[in-house]
């Protein structure tokens, strides 16, 4: 089994300070949270940014500032979001890709997202994949439901994505695939041989599916974007606390943790 890649999803676009007062918002707060997660064992930082009033933004300038603050502290891989927030245009969402980060997310299908719809029509898929290809960015394919795997394979056929693919199974979003072990098994059996995968379980699914991934040879994403609780009814104190918890599970299972350069080697990031 490869060493375990831990991704820290620090802020997201939807969680508020009212829900968890420890949510990092400003570039400096996000960079500090990234550094704490790096020290705890995260090698990838899944990055969203916010305006000062907490609203989500895909501003290239805010991403640029945040990335440079993170890079000044550690060598974690920065994976920018191209999902942004529901309702944003393709142009808005693509802005951080032009900064040529090492990685970016690529959602390969539309999905109901709570009361909203996270729109990813076929034209977006092609446009986003092409932008990543042209800017030398490694995509992480975000799979909110099983049909999105096939959409990614179509992009491979179209010459817009290169194998081996790296998938993130985002499970337990209201409107997406439920966060069950049976579904995780089905997803892992539906991707091409040689692919790598990580799992982002929403809420209480973060720990159960993360534990399963550690045992199955997959990788794990944790953080406030997906889960604001440490245990039932108890808010997490920090993103790093969630990273520390999954590191403990990996230790118990005897799975070593990948450092950023080891993660680059596993994912073929040059
Ligand atoms: N905020 C969600 C609508 C991504 O980062 O690429 C989309 C999202 C996925 O968070
Ligand atoms: Zn995200």
């Amino acid at each position: 089994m490869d060493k375990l890649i831990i991704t820290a999803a620090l802020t997201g676009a939807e969680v508020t300070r009212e829900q968890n007062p420890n949510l990092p918002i400003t570039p400096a707060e996000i960079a500090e949270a990234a550094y704490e997660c790096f020290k705890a064992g995260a090698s990838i930082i899944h990055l969203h940014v916010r305006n000062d009033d907490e609203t989500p933004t895909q501003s290239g300038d805010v991403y640029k500032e945040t990335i440079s603050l993170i890079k000044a502290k550690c060598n974690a891989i920065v994976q920018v979001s191209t999902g942004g927030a529901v309702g944003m245009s393709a142009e808005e969402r693509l802005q951080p890709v032009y900064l040529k980060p090492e990685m970016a997310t690529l959602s390969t299908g539309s999905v109901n997202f709570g009361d909203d719809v996270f729109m990813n029509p076929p034209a977006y898929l092609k446009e986003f994949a092409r932008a990543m290809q042209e800017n030398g960015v490694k995509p992480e394919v975000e799979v909110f439901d099983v049909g999105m795997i096939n959409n990614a394979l179509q992009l491979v056929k179209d010459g817009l994505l290169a194998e081996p693919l790296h998938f993130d199974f985002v499970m337990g979003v209201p409107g997406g695939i439920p966060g069950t072990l049976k579904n995780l098994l089905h997803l892992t059996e539906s991707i091409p041989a040689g692919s790598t995968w990580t799992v982002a379980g929403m809420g209480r699914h973060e720990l159960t599916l993360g534990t399963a991934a550690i045992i199955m040879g997959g990788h794990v994403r944790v953080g406030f974007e997906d889960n604001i609780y440490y245990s039932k009814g108890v808010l997490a104190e920090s993103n790093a606390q969630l990273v520390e918890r999954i590191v403990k599970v990996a230790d118990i299972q005897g799975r070593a943790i990948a450092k950023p350069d080891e993660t680059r080697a596993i994912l073929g990031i040059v």
Side-chain angles (χ1 to χ4, degrees), residues 9 17 19 34 57 69 75 88 91 99 109 136 154 169 188 214 236 242 266:
R17 273 249 166 98
Q19 293 170 311
T57 176
L69 290 172
N75 70 341
M88 287 179 172
E91 290 65 35
L99 302 171
Q154 184 59 46
F169 302 133
T188 61
I214 288 168
L242 297 171
I266 293 166

Side-chain angles (χ1 to χ4, degrees), residues 36-51:
E36 284 172 14
C37 288
F38 160 79
K39 285 191 290 182
S43 54
I44 300 178
I45 303 300
H46 171 67
L47 191 63
H48 287 252
V49 294
R50 302 284 183 99
N51 296 308

Side-chain angles (χ1 to χ4, degrees), residues 12-14 46-48 58 63 79-87 93 104-107 113 117-120 140 142 144 170 221 225-226:
E14 293 83 23
H46 171 67
L47 191 63
H48 287 252
Q58 287 291 100
Y63 268 101
Q79 176 195 85
V80 301
S81 170
T82 66
V86 288
R93 287 167 53 182
T105 54
L106 175 64
S107 294
F113 196 88
V117 183
F118 179 34
M119 294 294 287
N120 295 290
E140 177 181 88
E142 306 298 299
F144 291 76
V170 187
R221 179 172 115 172
E225 175 166 345
D226 306 331

